[in-house]
């Protein structure tokens, strides 16, 4: 859940918090001097202080809902001869509720330090999240999923360091979770280790990343590759030892400059040891609920093609394919999944190249709607 909620919450605050701004300054703040269109570039550039926020939740696994809270933006003063935008640090508290009874609360801090040579992320929270477990494909649970509620305390500390002035980063993280699983209607989950129902998971992660985006919000050129190895260890408070290896790559390339941009994404996750059922890798594509297709090894590819209508508006189409493998030794066995969809984007902050919009996606079993700020592959 945290993967989807936190980026959306922090980015959406920028769009909904203008209600906090003095009414006499609205005309100047939200109109672009170039084309006089609605734009929040000035607002972002001069952002400071405490701001309220509201954000929609559109994850199909938990139903539609809303999140709210408050943020404090810590801007950085640039030197007289510097004109480059510096990403502000962001601290905030949040909470949310969805149609299926899921709710969560917490806080976080996102830091961009030493002229973006250090990137820090700290998050803590509690969630009471209602989900469905479909098993690992081609079994009874695939057609008769078990509904469960997971009550989870979560704590994360992460920091990565830029190597010189290069696009390479190295770093690590510590994460800790206390999870209690409640099954509905006195149901049982076949083959599940009883320790999964009340477990503490604590571990360290090693992160290696390459990032050459021309824009962190809505890139149109560049690549981001990330390799993360998480190892949960008993001596760090985990009830058992297990691990997860995650690799993803996102690539953007203009086909026709300023008119057509092609994006490509690849992601794979591999669980080692004996992880809890709710922490096993699953296929993460628009139109597919969280945990719908999972196993010890997953892989997916997705493409997104965006075509500009004019300076502000663009339309896009996307599609992807993923597989949850039943065995990493036999790659032909497993469960397949796909997605396809379309959407639109509006250039909401021209100076920073940030867009927002909406996507409609279809997976193997259902439709889903997503509100997107920045790009759909932010994580």
């Amino acid at each position: 859940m945290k993967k989807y909620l936190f980026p959306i919450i922090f980015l959406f605050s920028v769009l909904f918090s203008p209600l906090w701004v003095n009414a006499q300054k609205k005309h100047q703040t939200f109109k672009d001097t170039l084309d006089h269109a609605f734009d929040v570039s000035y607002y972002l550039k001069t952002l400071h202080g405490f701001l309220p926020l509201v954000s929609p939740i559109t994850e199909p696994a938990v139903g539609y809902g809303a999140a709210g809270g408050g943020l404090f933006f810590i801007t950085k003063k640039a030197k007289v001869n510097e004109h480059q935008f510096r990403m502000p640090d962001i601290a905030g508290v949040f909470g949310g509720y969805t149609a299926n009874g899921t709710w969560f609360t917490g806080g976080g801090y996102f830091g961009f330090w030493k002229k973006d040579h250090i990137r820090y992320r700290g998050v803590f929270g509690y969630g009471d999240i209602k989900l469905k477990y479909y098993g690992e494909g081609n079994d009874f649970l695939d057609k008769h999923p078990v509904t469960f509620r997971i009550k989870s305390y979560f704590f994360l500390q992460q920091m990565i360091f830029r190597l010189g002035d290069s696009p390479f980063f190295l770093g690590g993280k510590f994460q800790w979770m206390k999870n209690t699983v409640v099954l509905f209607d006195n149901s049982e989950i076949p083959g599940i280790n009883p320790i999964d129902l009340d477990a503490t998971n604590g571990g360290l992660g090693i992160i290696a990343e390459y990032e050459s985006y021309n824009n962190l919000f809505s890139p149109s050129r560049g690549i981001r590759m990330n390799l993360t190895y998480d190892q949960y260890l008993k001596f760090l408070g985990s009830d058992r030892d297990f691990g997860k290896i995650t690799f993803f790559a996102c690539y953007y390339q203009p086909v026709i400059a300023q008119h057509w941009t092609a994006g490509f994404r690849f992601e794979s996750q591999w669980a080692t040891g004996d992880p809890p059922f709710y922490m096993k890798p699953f296929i993460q594509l628009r139109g597919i609920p969280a945990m719908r297709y999972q196993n010890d090894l997953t892989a997916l590819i997705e493409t997104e093609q965006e075509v500009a209508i004019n300076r502000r508006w663009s339309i896009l189409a996307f599609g992807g394919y993923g597989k949850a493998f039943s065995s990493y030794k036999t790659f032909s066995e497993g469960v397949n999944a796909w997605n396809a969809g379309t959407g639109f984007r509006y250039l909401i902050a021209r100076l920073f190249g940030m867009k927002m919009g909406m996507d409609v996606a279809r997976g193997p079993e259902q439709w889903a709607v997503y509100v997107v700020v920045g790009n759909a592959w932010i994580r």
Side-chain angles (χ1 to χ4, degrees):
M1 262 314 276
K2 62 181 185 298
K3 169 183 166 57
Y4 298 97
L5 294 178
F6 295 139
I8 295 174
I9 290 168
F10 283 109
L11 289 170
F12 254 86
S13 64
V14 174
L15 304 180
F16 289 92
S17 56
L19 295 175
W20 189 259
V21 180
N22 189 298
Q24 296 179 350
K25 297 182 179 180
K26 282 185 178 180
H27 180 77
Q28 176 185 6
T29 304
F30 302 112
K31 184 174 287 189
D32 193 348
T33 57
L34 182 65
D35 59 4
H36 304 291
F38 177 77
D39 192 285
V40 300
S41 295
Y42 177 82
Y43 179 73
L44 284 172
K45 192 173 182 179
T46 59
L47 200 60
H48 66 280
F50 180 80
L51 298 169
L53 63 91
V54 176
S55 168
I57 298 173
T58 57
E59 165 58 46
V62 297
Y64 295 107
L71 298 178
F72 191 86
F73 288 80
I74 305 169
T75 56
K76 304 176 179 67
K77 294 183 179 180
K79 295 181 180 179
V80 176
N81 60 345
E82 284 187 341
H83 301 285
Q84 185 177 5
F85 169 70
R86 290 190 181 184
M87 189 72 180
D89 289 1
I90 307 171
V93 293
F94 54 85
Y97 185 85
T98 73
N100 78 343
T102 289
W103 67 274
F104 59 90
T105 186
Y109 192 101
F110 286 27
F112 300 84
W113 303 334
K114 300 292 185 180
K115 296 183 179 180
D116 199 26
H117 280 69
I118 302 175
R119 295 180 180 180
Y120 166 81
R121 181 180 300 180
V123 178
F124 66 92
Y126 173 81
D128 188 339
I129 303 168
K130 184 178 178 181
L131 295 166
K132 291 183 178 180
Y133 179 59
Y134 295 85
E136 298 179 356
N138 298 322
D139 55 16
F140 178 80
L141 289 172
D142 187 57
K143 301 297 182 181
H144 305 86
V146 173
T147 301
F148 70 97
R149 173 168 267 124
I150 181 169
K151 301 178 181 181
S152 178
Y153 295 91
F154 177 78
F155 177 77
L156 169 71
Q157 292 290 299
Q158 175 178 306
M159 189 176 294
I160 59 175
F161 301 84
R162 188 185 296 273
L163 302 183
D165 292 323
S166 75
F168 290 94
F169 291 84
L170 286 176
K173 63 180 177 179
F174 168 78
Q175 52 191 345
W176 177 92
M177 289 163 281
K178 171 62 176 176
N179 302 307
T180 301
V181 175
V182 179
L183 303 179
F184 284 77
D185 301 324
N186 296 318
S187 56
E188 295 182 357
I189 303 179
I192 292 302
N193 191 330
I195 199 175
D196 288 358
L197 304 182
D198 189 4
T200 300
N201 303 303
L204 298 173
I206 301 172
I207 304 168
E209 181 165 308
Y210 176 93
E211 186 260 294
S212 63
Y213 284 167
N214 64 339
N215 184 286
L216 284 176
F217 294 113
S218 303
S220 60
R221 183 188 299 274
I223 188 170
R224 182 186 177 198
M225 295 187 292
N226 180 290
L227 177 63
T228 300
Y229 173 59
D230 295 307
Q231 181 63 52
Y232 296 85
L233 300 164
K234 290 182 179 179
F235 80 86
L236 292 175
S238 185
D239 286 338
R240 54 180 161 170
D241 297 338
F242 65 94
K244 182 188 292 185
I245 301 171
T246 302
F247 173 78
F248 69 83
C250 300
Y251 174 63
Y252 294 89
Q253 176 63 44
V255 179
I256 301 176
Q258 299 181 349
H259 294 284
W260 178 9
T261 299
F264 302 91
R265 169 191 174 216
F266 171 81
E267 182 171 326
S268 182
Q269 295 187 25
W270 177 25
T272 62
D274 184 24
F277 72 94
Y278 49 81
M279 294 187 68
K280 288 193 174 184
F282 58 87
I283 296 174
Q284 301 177 30
L285 290 170
R286 282 166 284 184
I288 300 177
M291 293 184 63
R292 176 61 185 93
Y293 301 99
Q294 66 178 143
N295 215 308
D296 288 336
L297 175 65
T298 62
L300 65 87
I301 56 173
E302 188 178 24
T303 184
E304 184 175 278
Q305 306 293 319
E306 182 178 0
V307 177
I309 299 175
N310 54 37
R311 184 191 299 271
R312 291 282 174 177
W313 293 93
S314 61
I315 58 175
L316 57 86
F318 56 87
Y321 169 83
K323 189 166 186 174
F325 297 93
S326 57
S327 172
Y328 63 88
K329 297 179 180 179
T330 308
F331 292 100
S332 60
E333 299 179 4
V335 180
N336 303 316
W338 57 270
N339 79 327
T342 186
F344 69 89
R345 298 291 184 269
Y346 177 77
L347 182 61
I348 193 72
R350 177 182 58 83
L351 292 180
F352 313 121
M354 188 177 76
K355 301 176 181 180
M356 70 166 292
M358 181 176 292
D359 293 339
V360 178
R362 172 69 187 185
E365 298 158 330
Q366 68 181 83
W367 292 90
V369 178
Y370 299 86
V371 180
V372 180
V373 178
N375 71 83
W377 298 336
I378 287 179
R379 55 179 303 165

